[in-house]
PDB file of all heavy atoms in Angstrom:
ATOM      1  N   GLY A1303     137.562 153.179  34.971  1.00 91.00           N
ATOM      2  CA  GLY A1303     138.724 153.884  34.436  1.00 91.00           C
ATOM      3  C   GLY A1303     138.488 155.348  34.144  1.00 91.00           C
ATOM      4  O   GLY A1303     138.423 155.767  32.980  1.00 91.00           O
ATOM      5  N   PHE A1304     138.371 156.162  35.180  1.00 94.00           N
ATOM      6  CA  PHE A1304     138.218 157.601  35.006  1.00 94.00           C
ATOM      7  C   PHE A1304     139.604 158.219  34.817  1.00 94.00           C
ATOM      8  O   PHE A1304     140.372 158.345  35.769  1.00 94.00           O
ATOM      9  CB  PHE A1304     137.510 158.220  36.216  1.00 94.00           C
ATOM     10  CG  PHE A1304     136.049 157.874  36.286  1.00 94.00           C
ATOM     11  CD1 PHE A1304     135.631 156.686  36.880  1.00 94.00           C
ATOM     12  CD2 PHE A1304     135.099 158.723  35.755  1.00 94.00           C
ATOM     13  CE1 PHE A1304     134.279 156.364  36.941  1.00 94.00           C
ATOM     14  CE2 PHE A1304     133.749 158.415  35.814  1.00 94.00           C
ATOM     15  CZ  PHE A1304     133.335 157.224  36.398  1.00 94.00           C
ATOM     16  N   LEU A1305     139.935 158.594  33.613  1.00 96.00           N
ATOM     17  CA  LEU A1305     141.274 159.057  33.289  1.00 96.00           C
ATOM     18  C   LEU A1305     141.375 160.574  33.435  1.00 96.00           C
ATOM     19  O   LEU A1305     140.482 161.313  33.001  1.00 96.00           O
ATOM     20  CB  LEU A1305     141.632 158.669  31.850  1.00 96.00           C
ATOM     21  CG  LEU A1305     141.596 157.168  31.528  1.00 96.00           C
ATOM     22  CD1 LEU A1305     141.866 156.947  30.039  1.00 96.00           C
ATOM     23  CD2 LEU A1305     142.604 156.419  32.382  1.00 96.00           C
ATOM     24  N   PRO A1306     142.465 161.074  34.044  1.00 97.00           N
ATOM     25  CA  PRO A1306     142.630 162.528  34.160  1.00 97.00           C
ATOM     26  C   PRO A1306     142.864 163.155  32.792  1.00 97.00           C
ATOM     27  O   PRO A1306     143.528 162.584  31.926  1.00 97.00           O
ATOM     28  CB  PRO A1306     143.865 162.666  35.061  1.00 97.00           C
ATOM     29  CG  PRO A1306     144.603 161.377  34.927  1.00 97.00           C
ATOM     30  CD  PRO A1306     143.571 160.330  34.678  1.00 97.00           C
ATOM     31  N   VAL A1307     142.314 164.340  32.622  1.00 98.00           N
ATOM     32  CA  VAL A1307     142.443 165.090  31.371  1.00 98.00           C
ATOM     33  C   VAL A1307     142.882 166.504  31.720  1.00 98.00           C
ATOM     34  O   VAL A1307     142.250 167.172  32.537  1.00 98.00           O
ATOM     35  CB  VAL A1307     141.100 165.132  30.605  1.00 98.00           C
ATOM     36  CG1 VAL A1307     141.232 165.967  29.339  1.00 98.00           C
ATOM     37  CG2 VAL A1307     140.620 163.726  30.277  1.00 98.00           C
ATOM     38  N   ASP A1308     143.972 166.965  31.111  1.00 97.00           N
ATOM     39  CA  ASP A1308     144.457 168.312  31.425  1.00 97.00           C
ATOM     40  C   ASP A1308     144.477 169.233  30.211  1.00 97.00           C
ATOM     41  O   ASP A1308     145.034 170.328  30.252  1.00 97.00           O
ATOM     42  CB  ASP A1308     145.842 168.252  32.058  1.00 97.00           C
ATOM     43  CG  ASP A1308     146.872 167.537  31.183  1.00 97.00           C
ATOM     44  OD1 ASP A1308     146.580 167.301  29.982  1.00 97.00           O
ATOM     45  OD2 ASP A1308     147.959 167.224  31.689  1.00 97.00           O
ATOM     46  N   GLY A1309     143.869 168.793  29.128  1.00 97.00           N
ATOM     47  CA  GLY A1309     143.801 169.637  27.940  1.00 97.00           C
ATOM     48  C   GLY A1309     143.277 168.854  26.756  1.00 97.00           C
ATOM     49  O   GLY A1309     143.067 167.635  26.842  1.00 97.00           O
ATOM     50  N   PRO A1310     143.071 169.509  25.629  1.00 96.00           N
ATOM     51  CA  PRO A1310     142.500 168.825  24.469  1.00 96.00           C
ATOM     52  C   PRO A1310     143.325 167.646  23.989  1.00 96.00           C
ATOM     53  O   PRO A1310     142.792 166.651  23.491  1.00 96.00           O
ATOM     54  CB  PRO A1310     142.426 169.921  23.405  1.00 96.00           C
ATOM     55  CG  PRO A1310     142.800 171.183  24.047  1.00 96.00           C
ATOM     56  CD  PRO A1310     143.307 170.922  25.413  1.00 96.00           C
ATOM     57  N   SER A1311     144.648 167.738  24.163  1.00 96.00           N
ATOM     58  CA  SER A1311     145.518 166.673  23.651  1.00 96.00           C
ATOM     59  C   SER A1311     145.422 165.387  24.461  1.00 96.00           C
ATOM     60  O   SER A1311     145.829 164.324  23.983  1.00 96.00           O
ATOM     61  CB  SER A1311     146.973 167.149  23.614  1.00 96.00           C
ATOM     62  OG  SER A1311     147.417 167.470  24.922  1.00 96.00           O
ATOM     63  N   SER A1312     144.897 165.453  25.680  1.00 97.00           N
ATOM     64  CA  SER A1312     144.812 164.253  26.519  1.00 97.00           C
ATOM     65  C   SER A1312     143.403 163.667  26.583  1.00 97.00           C
ATOM     66  O   SER A1312     143.152 162.749  27.354  1.00 97.00           O
ATOM     67  CB  SER A1312     145.323 164.556  27.934  1.00 97.00           C
ATOM     68  OG  SER A1312     144.545 165.561  28.550  1.00 97.00           O
ATOM     69  N   VAL A1313     142.496 164.190  25.765  1.00 97.00           N
ATOM     70  CA  VAL A1313     141.152 163.618  25.700  1.00 97.00           C
ATOM     71  C   VAL A1313     141.225 162.270  24.974  1.00 97.00           C
ATOM     72  O   VAL A1313     141.759 162.198  23.866  1.00 97.00           O
ATOM     73  CB  VAL A1313     140.186 164.562  24.963  1.00 97.00           C
ATOM     74  CG1 VAL A1313     138.822 163.897  24.786  1.00 97.00           C
ATOM     75  CG2 VAL A1313     140.042 165.880  25.719  1.00 97.00           C
ATOM     76  N   PRO A1314     140.735 161.184  25.588  1.00 95.00           N
ATOM     77  CA  PRO A1314     140.783 159.879  24.919  1.00 95.00           C
ATOM     78  C   PRO A1314     140.056 159.892  23.586  1.00 95.00           C
ATOM     79  O   PRO A1314     139.091 160.620  23.394  1.00 95.00           O
ATOM     80  CB  PRO A1314     140.084 158.943  25.925  1.00 95.00           C
ATOM     81  CG  PRO A1314     140.230 159.627  27.240  1.00 95.00           C
ATOM     82  CD  PRO A1314     140.162 161.093  26.944  1.00 95.00           C
ATOM     83  N   GLU A1315     140.548 159.076  22.676  1.00 95.00           N
ATOM     84  CA  GLU A1315     139.919 158.953  21.369  1.00 95.00           C
ATOM     85  C   GLU A1315     138.556 158.271  21.494  1.00 95.00           C
ATOM     86  O   GLU A1315     138.284 157.563  22.481  1.00 95.00           O
ATOM     87  CB  GLU A1315     140.816 158.142  20.442  1.00 95.00           C
ATOM     88  CG  GLU A1315     142.148 158.808  20.123  1.00 95.00           C
ATOM     89  CD  GLU A1315     141.976 160.078  19.296  1.00 95.00           C
ATOM     90  OE1 GLU A1315     141.006 160.118  18.492  1.00 95.00           O
ATOM     91  OE2 GLU A1315     142.772 161.010  19.475  1.00 95.00           O
ATOM     92  N   PRO A1316     137.678 158.463  20.516  1.00 95.00           N
ATOM     93  CA  PRO A1316     136.413 157.730  20.520  1.00 95.00           C
ATOM     94  C   PRO A1316     136.643 156.228  20.577  1.00 95.00           C
ATOM     95  O   PRO A1316     137.673 155.734  20.123  1.00 95.00           O
ATOM     96  CB  PRO A1316     135.760 158.147  19.198  1.00 95.00           C
ATOM     97  CG  PRO A1316     136.363 159.484  18.890  1.00 95.00           C
ATOM     98  CD  PRO A1316     137.778 159.403  19.392  1.00 95.00           C
ATOM     99  N   ASN A1317     135.700 155.502  21.169  1.00 93.00           N
ATOM    100  CA  ASN A1317     135.859 154.050  21.282  1.00 93.00           C
ATOM    101  C   ASN A1317     135.556 153.366  19.945  1.00 93.00           C
ATOM    102  O   ASN A1317     135.281 154.028  18.927  1.00 93.00           O
ATOM    103  CB  ASN A1317     134.972 153.494  22.408  1.00 93.00           C
ATOM    104  CG  ASN A1317     133.492 153.721  22.151  1.00 93.00           C
ATOM    105  OD1 ASN A1317     133.053 153.947  21.023  1.00 93.00           O
ATOM    106  ND2 ASN A1317     132.698 153.660  23.212  1.00 93.00           N
ATOM    107  N   ALA A1318     135.598 152.047  19.970  1.00 91.00           N
ATOM    108  CA  ALA A1318     135.424 151.277  18.734  1.00 91.00           C
ATOM    109  C   ALA A1318     134.051 151.482  18.113  1.00 91.00           C
ATOM    110  O   ALA A1318     133.863 151.242  16.906  1.00 91.00           O
ATOM    111  CB  ALA A1318     135.653 149.795  19.023  1.00 91.00           C
ATOM    112  N   LEU A1319     133.093 151.948  18.912  1.00 91.00           N
ATOM    113  CA  LEU A1319     131.743 152.193  18.406  1.00 91.00           C
ATOM    114  C   LEU A1319     131.572 153.629  17.909  1.00 91.00           C
ATOM    115  O   LEU A1319     130.495 154.005  17.444  1.00 91.00           O
ATOM    116  CB  LEU A1319     130.714 151.899  19.502  1.00 91.00           C
ATOM    117  CG  LEU A1319     130.716 150.469  20.063  1.00 91.00           C
ATOM    118  CD1 LEU A1319     129.735 150.351  21.221  1.00 91.00           C
ATOM    119  CD2 LEU A1319     130.379 149.472  18.961  1.00 91.00           C
ATOM    120  N   GLY A1320     132.632 154.425  18.054  1.00 94.00           N
ATOM    121  CA  GLY A1320     132.579 155.803  17.587  1.00 94.00           C
ATOM    122  C   GLY A1320     132.116 156.819  18.610  1.00 94.00           C
ATOM    123  O   GLY A1320     131.928 157.994  18.268  1.00 94.00           O
ATOM    124  N   TYR A1321     131.956 156.405  19.878  1.00 94.00           N
ATOM    125  CA  TYR A1321     131.472 157.309  20.916  1.00 94.00           C
ATOM    126  C   TYR A1321     132.634 157.985  21.650  1.00 94.00           C
ATOM    127  O   TYR A1321     133.563 157.317  22.123  1.00 94.00           O
ATOM    128  CB  TYR A1321     130.605 156.564  21.922  1.00 94.00           C
ATOM    129  CG  TYR A1321     129.318 156.037  21.331  1.00 94.00           C
ATOM    130  CD1 TYR A1321     129.138 154.678  21.115  1.00 94.00           C
ATOM    131  CD2 TYR A1321     128.300 156.904  20.975  1.00 94.00           C
ATOM    132  CE1 TYR A1321     127.965 154.186  20.569  1.00 94.00           C
ATOM    133  CE2 TYR A1321     127.113 156.433  20.430  1.00 94.00           C
ATOM    134  CZ  TYR A1321     126.949 155.073  20.222  1.00 94.00           C
ATOM    135  OH  TYR A1321     125.791 154.597  19.676  1.00 94.00           O
ATOM    136  N   SER A1322     132.569 159.304  21.766  1.00 95.00           N
ATOM    137  CA  SER A1322     133.571 160.043  22.531  1.00 95.00           C
ATOM    138  C   SER A1322     133.248 159.965  24.016  1.00 95.00           C
ATOM    139  O   SER A1322     132.088 159.816  24.398  1.00 95.00           O
ATOM    140  CB  SER A1322     133.589 161.512  22.096  1.00 95.00           C
ATOM    141  OG  SER A1322     133.939 161.637  20.737  1.00 95.00           O
ATOM    142  N   PRO A1323     134.260 160.088  24.889  1.00 96.00           N
ATOM    143  CA  PRO A1323     133.985 160.023  26.335  1.00 96.00           C
ATOM    144  C   PRO A1323     133.352 161.314  26.839  1.00 96.00           C
ATOM    145  O   PRO A1323     133.547 162.395  26.268  1.00 96.00           O
ATOM    146  CB  PRO A1323     135.379 159.832  26.935  1.00 96.00           C
ATOM    147  CG  PRO A1323     136.284 160.529  25.963  1.00 96.00           C
ATOM    148  CD  PRO A1323     135.692 160.263  24.605  1.00 96.00           C
ATOM    149  N   GLU A1324     132.596 161.201  27.908  1.00 97.00           N
ATOM    150  CA  GLU A1324     132.090 162.380  28.599  1.00 97.00           C
ATOM    151  C   GLU A1324     133.193 162.918  29.490  1.00 97.00           C
ATOM    152  O   GLU A1324     133.799 162.182  30.274  1.00 97.00           O
ATOM    153  CB  GLU A1324     130.865 162.032  29.428  1.00 97.00           C
ATOM    154  CG  GLU A1324     129.673 161.589  28.604  1.00 97.00           C
ATOM    155  CD  GLU A1324     128.501 161.168  29.462  1.00 97.00           C
ATOM    156  OE1 GLU A1324     128.731 160.858  30.655  1.00 97.00           O
ATOM    157  OE2 GLU A1324     127.371 161.154  28.951  1.00 97.00           O
ATOM    158  N   LEU A1325     133.459 164.206  29.391  1.00 98.00           N
ATOM    159  CA  LEU A1325     134.465 164.856  30.223  1.00 98.00           C
ATOM    160  C   LEU A1325     133.763 165.527  31.394  1.00 98.00           C
ATOM    161  O   LEU A1325     132.812 166.293  31.217  1.00 98.00           O
ATOM    162  CB  LEU A1325     135.235 165.890  29.405  1.00 98.00           C
ATOM    163  CG  LEU A1325     135.867 165.373  28.110  1.00 98.00           C
ATOM    164  CD1 LEU A1325     136.590 166.516  27.388  1.00 98.00           C
ATOM    165  CD2 LEU A1325     136.819 164.219  28.384  1.00 98.00           C
ATOM    166  N   LEU A1326     134.231 165.218  32.598  1.00 98.00           N
ATOM    167  CA  LEU A1326     133.583 165.694  33.817  1.00 98.00           C
ATOM    168  C   LEU A1326     134.506 166.655  34.563  1.00 98.00           C
ATOM    169  O   LEU A1326     135.638 166.289  34.904  1.00 98.00           O
ATOM    170  CB  LEU A1326     133.235 164.512  34.727  1.00 98.00           C
ATOM    171  CG  LEU A1326     132.538 163.317  34.067  1.00 98.00           C
ATOM    172  CD1 LEU A1326     132.343 162.200  35.081  1.00 98.00           C
ATOM    173  CD2 LEU A1326     131.203 163.734  33.461  1.00 98.00           C
ATOM    174  N   ASN A1327     134.042 167.849  34.820  1.00 98.00           N
ATOM    175  CA  ASN A1327     134.811 168.808  35.612  1.00 98.00           C
ATOM    176  C   ASN A1327     134.411 168.647  37.073  1.00 98.00           C
ATOM    177  O   ASN A1327     133.268 168.924  37.456  1.00 98.00           O
ATOM    178  CB  ASN A1327     134.535 170.234  35.143  1.00 98.00           C
ATOM    179  CG  ASN A1327     135.431 171.249  35.837  1.00 98.00           C
ATOM    180  OD1 ASN A1327     135.945 171.006  36.916  1.00 98.00           O
ATOM    181  ND2 ASN A1327     135.612 172.400  35.211  1.00 98.00           N
ATOM    182  N   LEU A1328     135.354 168.205  37.912  1.00 97.00           N
ATOM    183  CA  LEU A1328     135.065 167.917  39.315  1.00 97.00           C
ATOM    184  C   LEU A1328     135.381 169.088  40.246  1.00 97.00           C
ATOM    185  O   LEU A1328     135.142 168.998  41.453  1.00 97.00           O
ATOM    186  CB  LEU A1328     135.865 166.689  39.763  1.00 97.00           C
ATOM    187  CG  LEU A1328     135.682 165.419  38.924  1.00 97.00           C
ATOM    188  CD1 LEU A1328     136.523 164.285  39.499  1.00 97.00           C
ATOM    189  CD2 LEU A1328     134.219 165.028  38.828  1.00 97.00           C
ATOM    190  N   THR A1329     135.923 170.162  39.715  1.00 97.00           N
ATOM    191  CA  THR A1329     136.344 171.284  40.553  1.00 97.00           C
ATOM    192  C   THR A1329     135.180 172.219  40.845  1.00 97.00           C
ATOM    193  O   THR A1329     134.456 172.624  39.940  1.00 97.00           O
ATOM    194  CB  THR A1329     137.475 172.067  39.869  1.00 97.00           C
ATOM    195  OG1 THR A1329     138.621 171.227  39.741  1.00 97.00           O
ATOM    196  CG2 THR A1329     137.852 173.303  40.675  1.00 97.00           C
ATOM    197  N   ARG A1330     135.008 172.545  42.111  1.00 98.00           N
ATOM    198  CA  ARG A1330     134.018 173.528  42.554  1.00 98.00           C
ATOM    199  C   ARG A1330     134.679 174.411  43.611  1.00 98.00           C
ATOM    200  O   ARG A1330     135.579 173.977  44.333  1.00 98.00           O
ATOM    201  CB  ARG A1330     132.781 172.846  43.160  1.00 98.00           C
ATOM    202  CG  ARG A1330     132.077 171.886  42.213  1.00 98.00           C
ATOM    203  CD  ARG A1330     131.370 172.600  41.077  1.00 98.00           C
ATOM    204  NE  ARG A1330     130.623 171.689  40.235  1.00 98.00           N
ATOM    205  CZ  ARG A1330     131.121 171.027  39.191  1.00 98.00           C
ATOM    206  NH1 ARG A1330     132.396 171.172  38.865  1.00 98.00           N
ATOM    207  NH2 ARG A1330     130.353 170.221  38.476  1.00 98.00           N
ATOM    208  N   ASN A1331     134.203 175.633  43.737  1.00 97.00           N
ATOM    209  CA  ASN A1331     134.796 176.509  44.748  1.00 97.00           C
ATOM    210  C   ASN A1331     133.960 176.607  46.023  1.00 97.00           C
ATOM    211  O   ASN A1331     134.229 177.437  46.886  1.00 97.00           O
ATOM    212  CB  ASN A1331     135.102 177.900  44.185  1.00 97.00           C
ATOM    213  CG  ASN A1331     133.870 178.674  43.758  1.00 97.00           C
ATOM    214  OD1 ASN A1331     132.832 178.089  43.436  1.00 97.00           O
ATOM    215  ND2 ASN A1331     133.970 179.998  43.741  1.00 97.00           N
ATOM    216  N   VAL A1332     132.962 175.724  46.156  1.00 98.00           N
ATOM    217  CA  VAL A1332     132.306 175.474  47.449  1.00 98.00           C
ATOM    218  C   VAL A1332     132.419 173.980  47.693  1.00 98.00           C
ATOM    219  O   VAL A1332     132.024 173.175  46.839  1.00 98.00           O
ATOM    220  CB  VAL A1332     130.831 175.918  47.443  1.00 98.00           C
ATOM    221  CG1 VAL A1332     130.145 175.468  48.725  1.00 98.00           C
ATOM    222  CG2 VAL A1332     130.726 177.436  47.313  1.00 98.00           C
ATOM    223  N   ARG A1333     132.980 173.599  48.842  1.00 98.00           N
ATOM    224  CA  ARG A1333     133.312 172.202  49.088  1.00 98.00           C
ATOM    225  C   ARG A1333     132.926 171.781  50.507  1.00 98.00           C
ATOM    226  O   ARG A1333     133.254 172.463  51.480  1.00 98.00           O
ATOM    227  CB  ARG A1333     134.813 171.975  48.880  1.00 98.00           C
ATOM    228  CG  ARG A1333     135.305 172.431  47.503  1.00 98.00           C
ATOM    229  CD  ARG A1333     136.812 172.465  47.406  1.00 98.00           C
ATOM    230  NE  ARG A1333     137.230 173.008  46.114  1.00 98.00           N
ATOM    231  CZ  ARG A1333     138.492 173.299  45.795  1.00 98.00           C
ATOM    232  NH1 ARG A1333     139.470 173.125  46.687  1.00 98.00           N
ATOM    233  NH2 ARG A1333     138.764 173.781  44.589  1.00 98.00           N
ATOM    234  N   ILE A1334     132.257 170.640  50.596  1.00 98.00           N
ATOM    235  CA  ILE A1334     131.962 169.998  51.879  1.00 98.00           C
ATOM    236  C   ILE A1334     132.649 168.642  51.822  1.00 98.00           C
ATOM    237  O   ILE A1334     132.405 167.851  50.901  1.00 98.00           O
ATOM    238  CB  ILE A1334     130.447 169.791  52.083  1.00 98.00           C
ATOM    239  CG1 ILE A1334     129.683 171.110  51.908  1.00 98.00           C
ATOM    240  CG2 ILE A1334     130.177 169.169  53.448  1.00 98.00           C
ATOM    241  CD1 ILE A1334     129.953 172.133  52.963  1.00 98.00           C
ATOM    242  N   GLU A1335     133.511 168.324  52.806  1.00 98.00           N
ATOM    243  CA  GLU A1335     134.300 167.101  52.658  1.00 98.00           C
ATOM    244  C   GLU A1335     134.816 166.564  53.977  1.00 98.00           C
ATOM    245  O   GLU A1335     134.982 167.296  54.953  1.00 98.00           O
ATOM    246  CB  GLU A1335     135.483 167.362  51.726  1.00 98.00           C
ATOM    247  CG  GLU A1335     136.442 168.438  52.209  1.00 98.00           C
ATOM    248  CD  GLU A1335     137.493 168.806  51.179  1.00 98.00           C
ATOM    249  OE1 GLU A1335     137.222 168.653  49.968  1.00 98.00           O
ATOM    250  OE2 GLU A1335     138.594 169.238  51.581  1.00 98.00           O
ATOM    251  N   GLY A1336     135.031 165.230  53.968  1.00 98.00           N
ATOM    252  CA  GLY A1336     135.837 164.607  54.996  1.00 98.00           C
ATOM    253  C   GLY A1336     137.261 164.547  54.472  1.00 98.00           C
ATOM    254  O   GLY A1336     137.704 165.443  53.752  1.00 98.00           O
ATOM    255  N   THR A1337     137.976 163.463  54.807  1.00 98.00           N
ATOM    256  CA  THR A1337     139.310 163.247  54.256  1.00 98.00           C
ATOM    257  C   THR A1337     139.408 161.804  53.795  1.00 98.00           C
ATOM    258  O   THR A1337     138.566 160.963  54.130  1.00 98.00           O
ATOM    259  CB  THR A1337     140.405 163.520  55.302  1.00 98.00           C
ATOM    260  OG1 THR A1337     140.336 162.517  56.332  1.00 98.00           O
ATOM    261  CG2 THR A1337     140.256 164.898  55.929  1.00 98.00           C
ATOM    262  N   ALA A1338     140.450 161.512  53.034  1.00 96.00           N
ATOM    263  CA  ALA A1338     140.646 160.147  52.566  1.00 96.00           C
ATOM    264  C   ALA A1338     140.824 159.185  53.735  1.00 96.00           C
ATOM    265  O   ALA A1338     140.506 157.994  53.620  1.00 96.00           O
ATOM    266  CB  ALA A1338     141.852 160.080  51.631  1.00 96.00           C
ATOM    267  N   ALA A1339     141.307 159.696  54.877  1.00 96.00           N
ATOM    268  CA  ALA A1339     141.548 158.846  56.044  1.00 96.00           C
ATOM    269  C   ALA A1339     140.314 158.699  56.931  1.00 96.00           C
ATOM    270  O   ALA A1339     140.282 157.835  57.811  1.00 96.00           O
ATOM    271  CB  ALA A1339     142.711 159.412  56.869  1.00 96.00           C
ATOM    272  N   GLY A1340     139.296 159.529  56.709  1.00 97.00           N
ATOM    273  CA  GLY A1340     138.102 159.461  57.542  1.00 97.00           C
ATOM    274  C   GLY A1340     136.941 160.135  56.846  1.00 97.00           C
ATOM    275  O   GLY A1340     136.963 161.348  56.629  1.00 97.00           O
ATOM    276  N   TYR A1341     135.939 159.329  56.478  1.00 97.00           N
ATOM    277  CA  TYR A1341     134.799 159.857  55.745  1.00 97.00           C
ATOM    278  C   TYR A1341     133.764 160.456  56.709  1.00 97.00           C
ATOM    279  O   TYR A1341     133.470 159.869  57.748  1.00 97.00           O
ATOM    280  CB  TYR A1341     134.136 158.751  54.920  1.00 97.00           C
ATOM    281  CG  TYR A1341     134.854 158.430  53.629  1.00 97.00           C
ATOM    282  CD1 TYR A1341     136.239 158.261  53.589  1.00 97.00           C
ATOM    283  CD2 TYR A1341     134.156 158.273  52.443  1.00 97.00           C
ATOM    284  CE1 TYR A1341     136.902 157.956  52.411  1.00 97.00           C
ATOM    285  CE2 TYR A1341     134.800 157.969  51.253  1.00 97.00           C
ATOM    286  CZ  TYR A1341     136.172 157.817  51.243  1.00 97.00           C
ATOM    287  OH  TYR A1341     136.812 157.521  50.069  1.00 97.00           O
ATOM    288  N   ALA A1342     133.218 161.615  56.337  1.00 97.00           N
ATOM    289  CA  ALA A1342     132.147 162.260  57.103  1.00 97.00           C
ATOM    290  C   ALA A1342     130.802 161.877  56.488  1.00 97.00           C
ATOM    291  O   ALA A1342     130.707 160.925  55.713  1.00 97.00           O
ATOM    292  CB  ALA A1342     132.346 163.772  57.088  1.00 97.00           C
ATOM    293  N   HIS A1343     129.759 162.616  56.835  1.00 94.00           N
ATOM    294  CA  HIS A1343     128.465 162.385  56.214  1.00 94.00           C
ATOM    295  C   HIS A1343     127.685 163.690  56.192  1.00 94.00           C
ATOM    296  O   HIS A1343     128.018 164.657  56.890  1.00 94.00           O
ATOM    297  CB  HIS A1343     127.653 161.315  56.960  1.00 94.00           C
ATOM    298  CG  HIS A1343     127.075 161.794  58.249  1.00 94.00           C
ATOM    299  ND1 HIS A1343     125.760 162.146  58.401  1.00 94.00           N
ATOM    300  CD2 HIS A1343     127.665 162.006  59.459  1.00 94.00           C
ATOM    301  CE1 HIS A1343     125.555 162.548  59.651  1.00 94.00           C
ATOM    302  NE2 HIS A1343     126.682 162.475  60.309  1.00 94.00           N
TER     303      HIS A1343
END
């Protein structure tokens, strides 16, 4: 369940154990990629 986050208000609350989620920034301005319809390597 990787949930999208677009600002502080959409950051999930800490879980029942008190741990906050790690927020991951996936955007980079150098990209090597295939497409969803055909994976490269």
Side-chain angles (χ1 to χ4, degrees):
F1304 288 85
L1305 301 176
V1307 177
D1308 57 13
S1311 61
S1312 61
V1313 175
E1315 295 293 328
N1317 62 20
L1319 301 175
Y1321 294 108
S1322 298
E1324 295 176 340
L1325 306 179
L1326 313 176
N1327 186 337
L1328 305 181
T1329 296
R1330 302 290 184 273
N1331 64 335
V1332 172
R1333 305 168 185 172
I1334 306 293
E1335 60 188 27
T1337 68
Y1341 281 46
H1343 75 102

